[in-house]
Structure formats: C-alpha cells, structure tokens
Amino acid sequence: SQQGEEDPQALSIQEGENATMNCSYKTSINNLQWYRQNSGRGLVHLILIRSNEREKHSGRLRVTLDTSKKSSSLLITASRAADTASYFCATDLTGANNLFFGTGTRLTVIP
Amino acid sequence: ETGVTQTPRHLVMGMTNKKSLKCEQHLGHNAMYWYKQSAKKPLELMFVYNFKEQTENNSVPSRFSPECPNSSHLFLHLHTLQPEDSALYLCASSQMTGTSGNTIYFGEGSWLTVV
C-alpha cells in the first residue's frame, strides 16, 4: 500500500511522560507530515519533515526521519491530558501530488 | 476555526435518498479534496480538484458524485448509498504550488449514517 502505517495502534501514558509514535512506509517520499485528530473532528497539521532532513522540532514535538529504514517517529515530550488524540503520519510520495494517510495511533494521556 | 467549513455536521439518510454534503474554504487555496474516514481503516482519498478541475478519482463508486463550481466550494452528491458508506467525510484544501510540501487543511467533517 502507499500509505504510512503507524505503530502502536493505541498508546496510554501518564501525564508528564513522553509519548513516541512510529510510522513506516514503503516507497520513496518527498516529505512526511504528522497530523493530529481530536475525536470526531478534522485533522490538524502538526509538522512536516523533508526527505533530506533527519530531525525537526516544534515546541514539545520532535520528529525524526530515517529514509534508509523508511520510517519516522513522533515524540511528544512532557505530555498533557490535552494531547489525547489520534496521530497520523502522511507521506508525500515522489511523483504524486497527494498525501497518503495511515490508520493512526490513538494516544490517551491520563491526568 | 480551520478555514474549511463543512455542512451538515451530521446526516442520516435512507438508501434511496439523495443528499449533498457541502464544503467551503476561506483560505484562498486552489485545491480541494474529499476524504472518507471509516473505523480502523486508513483515511481514503476520494476526489481531488485543482483549479476546479478534477485531477484524482480513486475508483470511487458512481453513487458518490463530486461537484466543484469554483475553487472555494466543493460538494459531494450522494445517491442510493449503502450502509457500508456510513463514515466521516472530510473535506480539505491546500495550495498546490507544483512542488512538494503541501499542507492540507481539513474541515470538521460530516458524519454520515446510511440506514
């Protein structure tokens, strides 16, 4: 399939802990993006990392990309209850104009 | 407020009904999308419009008919749907620049239940 696959499917942590979610994909990409979705709502863009970048930070978010392993990770540090949501990676494939999304990781942060 | 507005937020329809979902974007983007989100499945790209022209149709059944009268408005016309079509339908927009790195802005979605 063209879309990324997130791992784990669900993750439950205590507030203040770090949360790590992984994404694997199968074909060459231009960039990879992470999105967040609160229950029953639309997706919101979090961060984009290009294929020539290895790591990127945005506030409490840290994204890594390993193109040799075709994988990415999203780290949320010092998690808060408000971080509870589903997180999706989306791959922007070489030669394609569209993003391909996975099934997401459901993160629950327990207060 | 994401700049992409979808109506209605919830819709229940019978299999013989005809209804439409509406989407409007206030971001000045040139591309609009319909995605389908079903439980435990990847987000499915249904249709893409770029400058009002349909550029993608991912083998979507003809009971789903998109319409893009201008770059700010997008409709999804629904006719003789099946119960398995029940899902969250997400509209989105982006500014296609011809290079990669488009960020997609989503609406809040329309929950569709087919009975």
Side-chain angles (χ1 to χ4, degrees), chain A residues 2-108:
Chain A
Q2 292 175 308
Q3 60 263 18
E5 295 182 10
E6 294 90 346
D7 172 66
Q9 290 187 351
L11 178 62
S12 184
I13 60 173
Q14 295 289 331
E15 198 166 33
E17 293 180 339
N18 296 340
T20 300
M21 289 158 273
N22 302 297
C23 171
S24 60
Y25 57 92
K26 295 182 179 178
T27 60
S28 296
I29 61 170
N30 286 318
N31 63 73
L32 186 145
Q33 304 183 32
W34 285 91
Y35 286 75
R36 166 197 166 122
Q37 183 182 33
N38 287 351
S39 182
R41 309 290 291 276
L43 282 74
V44 177
H45 178 259
L46 294 176
I47 195 167
L48 179 153
I49 186 165
R50 298 190 184 281
S51 58
N52 61 354
E53 297 176 311
R54 292 297 168 259
E55 187 170 315
K56 203 160 183 181
H57 297 255
S58 177
R60 293 184 295 112
L61 305 180
R62 173 177 167 249
V63 170
T64 62
L65 180 65
D66 187 335
T67 51
S68 65
K69 294 181 179 179
K70 292 187 169 57
S71 67
S72 173
S73 67
L74 171 67
L75 169 68
I76 304 175
T77 60
S79 64
R80 305 167 182 168
D83 294 328
T84 294
S86 291
Y87 293 83
F88 296 82
C89 68
T91 49
D92 186 342
L93 305 182
T94 304
N97 285 322
N98 303 312
L99 291 180
F100 295 91
F101 290 81
T103 54
T105 292
R106 174 69 188 167
L107 173 66
T108 302

Side-chain angles (χ1 to χ4, degrees), chain B residues 83-95:
Chain B
E84 60 264 29
D85 297 322
S86 298
L88 178 66
Y89 288 84
L90 292 162
C91 175
S93 71
S94 73
Q95 183 63 23

